[in-house]
Amino acid sequence: MHRLSTIAAVLAAALVAFPAHAQAPAFTVGTAKAGPGEKATGYIEVPAGVDPGTRIPVVVVHGARPGPVLAMVAGSHGTEYASIIALEKLIPMLDPAQIAGTVIVLPLVNTASFEEKVPHLNPIDHRNMNRMYPGKPDGTQTERASWAITQQVIAQSDYLIDMHGGDLDESLRPYSYWLKIGNPKIDSVARQMVLAFGLRYIIIADDRPTAAGSSRYLDNTAALRGKPSITVEAGYAGTTTAEDVGVLVRGCLNEMRYLKMLPGEAAPVEHPVWFAKVVTPTSDATGIFYPLVKKNTYVSAGMKLGYVTDYFGKTIYEARAPVAGIVLYICAVPSMKKGNAVVDIGVIAPESP
């Protein structure tokens, strides 16, 4: 208990550096406008440009009392279903009468991916909707959508949770990213946020661009603008199990308790497993993939992970682990193209950061 109380005290001290805003008479994102104690739904309208426009669903829960602004975003990859469903289930649970501050919920950013069942990319412009931030007002649909989110969501937020999971072709176990940008104050708060969310496996993400104007991801775009951010992942291969959806819903509510947006206490994860880096070997061949290991298993360096055959059954490539670590996800389908990821291996940090 002493360790948990110490972590809670550190978080409380860190939050002093990010004071709550005075409660605005109304809070607006896109067409969603809510007064204090109100919940509103609407859309962030992304107008047509070099390609068709889109509209991003948004919910604003404007609390009855002053507090910080927390953004929760899912569906940048529209077939990472567990995170999308988690936010859909969370929306009716957010009672503005009980909330201090404001919650911005974007349950589904990439509607075209969701509707067309296209993994990883936006089928309109074939771009990754979590690699184009901060976006451009005159770019393709992905760039314009990223620009709108940067201007309307990131700019108005104090904290951000970017929610993901295993896509249609990924067998993934839950984990999160502690984003480090080299700013001690931001990094300290983000560390407490990732512990508060409650996923035991945590990747130390200190390899993302940190120079001004060099961001690509939603989380580091927010962090480089002074908004502590974390990324969380749960769900695998198109599934929406109660377990995966539940850990994401509970994590969001725990985060709100730690940020003093909801009453009650939430103990941070007690025994986190920290990963110093993630290594992603890719296939040297196109063909049919046969995995030999499962998610959440330990592999030693050189261990055979799976193999690829041609369309006549002849083995043309063997995937082996370049490092020792834990399988965070592995390709979940037989389809394999040269250059595609076979597996993500988390390399355990030698000591807790």
Side-chain angles (χ1 to χ4, degrees), residues 243-264:
E243 182 180 4
D244 285 330
V245 171
V247 298
L248 293 175
V249 171
R250 290 191 297 272
C252 290
L253 294 172
N254 283 343
E255 202 69 73
M256 292 180 67
R257 295 186 186 101
Y258 265 88
L259 296 175
K260 307 304 181 187
M261 300 177 72
L262 282 177

Side-chain angles (χ1 to χ4, degrees), residues 168-182:
L168 289 177
D169 57 347
E170 296 172 342
S171 181
L172 175 145
R173 64 139 296 138
Y175 57 86
S176 56
Y177 290 87
W178 171 32
L179 177 65
K180 293 182 67 179
I181 63 169

Side-chain angles (χ1 to χ4, degrees), residues 1 14 20 45 48 80 86 101 106 111 134-135 146 148 158 167 180 182 187 200 207 220 275 320 330-331 346:
M1 290 300 294
E45 300 286 354
E80 295 179 352
L106 270 61
T111 54
S146 300
D158 297 308
D167 220 318
K180 293 182 67 179
D187 292 348
R200 185 165 176 251
D207 58 346
N220 74 327
F275 293 92
R320 295 186 178 272
I330 189 164
C331 181

Side-chain angles (χ1 to χ4, degrees), residues 134-159:
K136 296 193 300 183
D138 57 351
T140 67
Q141 186 185 99
T142 294
E143 292 171 312
R144 298 194 310 278
S146 300
W147 175 260
I149 291 170
T150 299
Q151 299 302 309
Q152 298 192 49
V153 178
I154 293 176
Q156 297 197 82
S157 301
D158 297 308
Y159 307 94

Side-chain angles (χ1 to χ4, degrees), residues 86-110:
L87 285 190
E88 292 284 346
K89 290 187 175 296
L90 183 68
I91 290 167
M93 300 170 66
L94 297 177
D95 180 0
Q98 298 295 317
I99 291 173
T102 303
V103 184
I104 304 169
V105 181
L106 270 61
L108 178 57
V109 171
N110 193 345

Side-chain angles (χ1 to χ4, degrees), residues 6-135:
T6 300
I7 292 175
V10 171
L11 175 60
L15 292 179
V16 171
F18 297 85
H21 297 300
Q23 196 72 332
F27 198 100
T28 303
V29 182
T31 64
K33 181 178 181 179
E38 295 180 349
K39 181 188 298 186
T41 62
Y43 293 90
I44 297 174
E45 300 286 354
V46 180
V50 296
D51 49 20
T54 187
R55 50 196 337 226
I56 300 169
V58 59
V59 181
V60 174
V61 187
H62 199 28
R65 294 171 288 122
V69 179
L70 171 65
M72 303 175 182
V73 181
S76 295
H77 305 129
T79 52
E80 295 179 352
Y81 296 122
S83 56
I84 298 166
I85 300 304
L87 285 190
E88 292 284 346
K89 290 187 175 296
L90 183 68
I91 290 167
M93 300 170 66
L94 297 177
D95 180 0
Q98 298 295 317
I99 291 173
T102 303
V103 184
I104 304 169
V105 181
L106 270 61
L108 178 57
V109 171
N110 193 345
T111 54
S113 165
F114 180 86
E115 292 168 359
E116 299 298 328
K117 303 180 184 68
V118 174
H120 305 297
L121 303 176
N122 177 358
I124 300 300
D125 58 8
H126 305 288
R127 297 194 176 188
N128 187 324
M129 290 195 84
N130 195 32
R131 298 294 187 276
M132 304 305 296
Y133 286 94

